[in-house]
Each structure stands twice: as C-alpha cells, then as structure tokens.
Amino acid sequence: MATTTGAPDTVAEATGATNTTASAKAAQPAAIELAASAAPGAAPSVAPPSPAATLRTGLGIDVHAFAPAEAHRRLVLGGVDIPYERGLAGHSDADALAHAIADALLGAARLGDIGKLFPDTDPTFKDADSLVLLAQACQAVRGAGFDILDIDSVICCQEPKLSPHRDAMRRNIARAASLDVDNVGIKATTTERLGFEGRSEGISAYATCLLQRKDA
Ligand code: MG
C-alpha cells in the first residue's frame, strides 16, 4: 500500500513488481508462440491478412523557397493572396498548402503524388492556380472510389503572419475539395527562427487527411 504521501511502502510497489506475476502470465501465450516460431525449422507464426481497411489516412508535405523580391512573385497560400515583399518560387503558383493537401489525398488513395498528376515539366501547369489542381486531385480521389472525410494541416512560416488569413484559406480549400469548411483544419506556426522557415528562406506545409471507401 502506498503511504498518504504517495510514496511506495515496498520495493515491490516502487517497481510495480506486484503486477509482474499477472502480466507475465498474460504474456505467456505470445511468448510461447514467438519461441515456437523461432525454433530451428519451425514455420513462422503469421496472422492471416486482414481485409483491406475501409478508412485511409494520408500525409502530404511540401516546401517552397521564397523567390527574390525582384522576381515579383505573389505569395499564395490556400488560394489566398497574402501581402508580403516576396512570393514563393515554383512552376505553378507555389501554393505549398494546397500542394501538401493534394499529396495527402493522393497518397491516401494510393494515386501517387502531385508531381505524377501535374508534372512541373508540363507548360500547362506554369503559374497554375493550385486550387484548380487540388480540385482535380479530389476528383481523381473520388473517382478511385473514396469519400474525402477530413483534412488537417499546418503551415510553418516565420513571416508574414498568417492567422488573419486562416478562415479565407479554409473556405478556399473547402470549396476546392467540395467539403464543409468544418472538415478543413489549417494551423500556422513559426519555427522559433530555427531552420529554413525560421530564416525566412521558405515555407513548409504539412497535411493529413481521412478517406473512406465509398462501398464500405
Ligand atoms: Mg509544391
């Protein structure tokens, strides 16, 4: 029993040894199975494959460097034109957030990535509106038999301040993905002046999503 101070009375309590016997017993079948499979000549114990899950998660990451001010590039994130002295360099409008979200969705549907769908060597996508590319990626995901349930994302950026633009970005992404705005999360963070984002050399964006098979 522990004292009222919370300090253990015995070494056994301090180490959790009073529970060791029970947990050791519970672990026995698994231990025996492992030992059997490790025995020379024994067939490994492998669980039968489970049916394909109906839910899928996706992860997308994108990075763009800032172009020099003389390049007069726009800074576009989540389809919002953000007032700043420099824009991001890229073949399209360099909307890192839209690209990260598209990659998360395509990854979850096992459709490759944004570079496969929209190669940056294709002049069609020069200065392309990335919300249009995102909408096309969503169409491909739905065409592959998935409902898009939810998206969350983070933009890492030392400057400019993005929070005033968050709701506009959410509305844009929701419209492009044909989702309720409540199912689009966008957060922004600095990196405490660390790394390329912290030195304002570029911006990174991370996104996750949840899909469900339509026939589930
Ligand atoms: Mg990109």
Side-chain angles (χ1 to χ4, degrees):
M1 179 185 290
T3 65
T4 51
T5 63
D9 285 331
T10 65
V11 173
E13 277 186 12
T15 59
T18 49
N19 294 326
T20 304
T21 309
S23 52
K25 277 181 185 164
Q28 268 181 356
I32 290 167
E33 196 175 27
L34 276 175
S37 67
S45 170
V46 179
S50 54
T54 58
L55 293 175
R56 299 273 189 92
T57 64
L59 169 67
I61 300 174
D62 196 37
V63 171
H64 282 265
F66 279 113
E70 311 83 85
H72 300 295
R73 292 274 301 177
R74 298 153 57 219
L75 175 58
V76 182
L77 289 168
V80 176
D81 260 285
I82 295 168
Y84 189 55
E85 63 210 32
R86 291 177 296 160
L88 295 172
H91 185 65
S92 65
D93 62 6
D95 186 335
L97 177 63
H99 295 178
I101 292 172
D103 255 4
L105 294 165
L106 293 170
R110 314 297 183 250
L111 290 175
D113 57 36
I114 193 170
K116 183 178 165 190
L117 241 68
F118 313 112
D120 63 7
T121 49
D122 187 336
T124 313
F125 306 119
K126 178 92 178 80
D127 296 324
D129 178 345
S130 294
L131 288 185
V132 173
L133 305 186
L134 175 60
Q136 288 177 15
C138 290
Q139 199 173 13
V141 166
R142 292 189 171 103
F146 293 95
D147 284 325
I148 300 168
L149 302 187
D150 202 64
I151 290 168
D152 193 22
S153 61
V154 187
I155 306 168
C156 299
C157 170
Q158 194 66 43
E159 57 182 26
K161 199 168 176 53
L162 298 179
S163 53
H165 308 287
R166 176 170 34 196
D167 288 342
M169 287 191 254
R170 288 181 70 205
R171 285 193 297 272
N172 284 348
I173 297 291
R175 197 180 316 115
S178 302
L179 284 176
D180 189 292
V181 73
D182 203 36
N183 288 112
V184 177
I186 299 175
K187 302 176 294 298
T189 183
T190 72
T191 58
E192 300 287 346
R193 303 201 175 277
L194 294 171
F196 65 87
E197 303 100 326
R199 294 188 296 269
S200 293
E201 294 169 5
I203 287 180
S204 62
Y206 299 74
T208 63
C209 68
L210 182 66
L211 308 185
Q212 183 172 31
R213 286 209 74 89
K214 286 181 185 175
D215 54 12

